[in-house]
Amino acid sequence: ETGVTQSPTHLIKTRGQQVTLRCSSQSGHNTVSWYQQALGQGPQFIFQYYREEENGRGNFPPRFSGLQFPNYSSELNVNALELDDSALYLCASSLEQGATSDGYTFGSGTRLTVV
Amino acid sequence: GEDVEQSLFLSVREGDSSVINCTYTDSSSTYLYWYKQEPGAGLQLLTYIFSNMDMKQDQRLTVLLNKKDKHLSLRIADTQTGDSAIYFCAERGFTGGGNKLTFGTGTQLKVEL
């Protein structure tokens, strides 16, 4: 059973640029959630994808968007990058929108630095 | 809205027990989780407890839930240096059509020899 894999592991971008982060969900999981973890903070919920549609969103602006593919993998896109977007971005996969007791399996994250 | 609070630091000696505390606000939370994060790594699920339980034990880990006070604790018995990490509690809540986790700010556990 494979876990959650994220790519790339590290990324440096310039303010104003756009970035795409990728996530492959754990085998058997059909739901993907994205979290932003700023330095010294707990992860903050960005959004969740289920059946290729966004079905829940946290307090993040529209320049944060995503996709889910038929194989349940997902992308997080951030447009017009700001310095405050520098963070660890975590992908979590789950079964049935996180409704089961198993909870969520997290990837190791993508460390994004905006300069 | 949901809010989860934890103390920031805890230092213990190797072999002692560690107790990490957490308070949450969403009384409708059905599951509460404890995650561990080592430097530069993602989150590792340690254990969880369903809201109709008071206690759950899993090897060295004991979770206590006081639903009336919305207080959750994680006890690690015989703490080892490998337990040094940041520990997050999280409550599962609803968002739109699905679920989300709301995390605390994390408690950094330092285990000294």
Side-chain angles (χ1 to χ4, degrees):
Chain A
E1 179 181 280
T2 57
V4 176
T5 57
Q6 292 187 243
S7 63
T9 54
H10 295 84
L11 200 54
I12 299 175
K13 287 286 190 177
T14 302
R15 190 171 50 181
Q17 284 188 313
Q18 178 264 344
V19 69
T20 298
L21 310 182
R22 295 178 175 82
C23 171
S24 293
S25 60
Q26 178 172 304
S27 176
H29 283 182
N30 58 11
T31 304
V32 172
S33 305
W34 287 91
Y35 289 79
Q36 180 196 65
Q37 186 179 19
L39 200 60
Q41 301 295 318
Q44 299 287 316
F45 174 73
I46 302 174
F47 43 52
Q48 177 174 278
Y49 275 82
Y50 174 68
R51 294 184 176 178
E52 302 177 48
E53 290 192 0
E54 182 185 300
N55 76 336
R57 189 178 187 94
N59 190 25
F60 281 82
R63 59 189 185 84
F64 285 78
S65 63
L67 286 171
Q68 187 182 33
F69 300 99
N71 67 353
Y72 308 126
S73 66
S74 177
E75 287 181 354
L76 164 66
N77 300 291
V78 187
N79 293 322
L81 283 166
E82 301 177 0
L83 297 179
D84 284 349
D85 295 333
S86 295
L88 180 68
Y89 288 85
L90 295 164
C91 169
S93 74
S94 58
L95 192 57
E96 296 305 319
Q97 306 175 72
T100 63
S101 61
D102 314 50
Y104 304 76
T105 302
F106 281 82
S108 298
T110 294
R111 172 75 61 188
L112 173 65
T113 302
V114 182
V115 297
Chain B
E2 311 92 353
D3 190 22
V4 179
E5 294 189 355
Q6 301 178 237
S7 52
L8 293 180
F9 299 102
L10 177 65
S11 180
V12 299
R13 288 192 178 274
E14 188 177 42
D16 288 350
S17 291
S18 307
V19 179
I20 302 171
N21 295 300
C22 169
T23 57
Y24 63 97
T25 56
D26 187 356
S27 59
S28 66
S29 292
T30 51
Y31 286 98
L32 295 136
Y33 300 89
W34 284 102
Y35 283 88
K36 175 183 180 183
Q37 187 175 40
E38 296 183 80
L43 300 174
Q44 174 195 353
L45 176 64
L46 290 177
T47 187
Y48 65 90
I49 189 166
F50 190 53
S51 58
N52 68 351
M53 300 169 65
D54 298 323
M55 185 183 85
K56 180 179 180 182
Q57 189 153 0
D58 185 359
Q59 299 182 335
R60 293 193 296 126
L61 305 178
T62 303
V63 179
L64 295 178
L65 175 60
N66 180 328
K67 198 172 180 182
K68 175 177 170 288
D69 295 338
K70 297 190 183 71
H71 182 267
L72 183 72
S73 68
L74 173 70
R75 178 177 179 268
I76 306 172
D78 187 26
T79 312
Q80 302 297 307
T81 55
D83 295 323
S84 292
I86 300 176
Y87 291 79
F88 292 95
C89 71
E91 60 175 351
R92 193 183 81 179
F94 299 103
T95 175
N99 298 281
K100 67 172 184 178
L101 296 179
T102 299
F103 288 87
T105 51
T107 299
Q108 182 162 3
L109 174 63
K110 181 178 179 183
V111 182
E112 299 175 325
L113 296 172

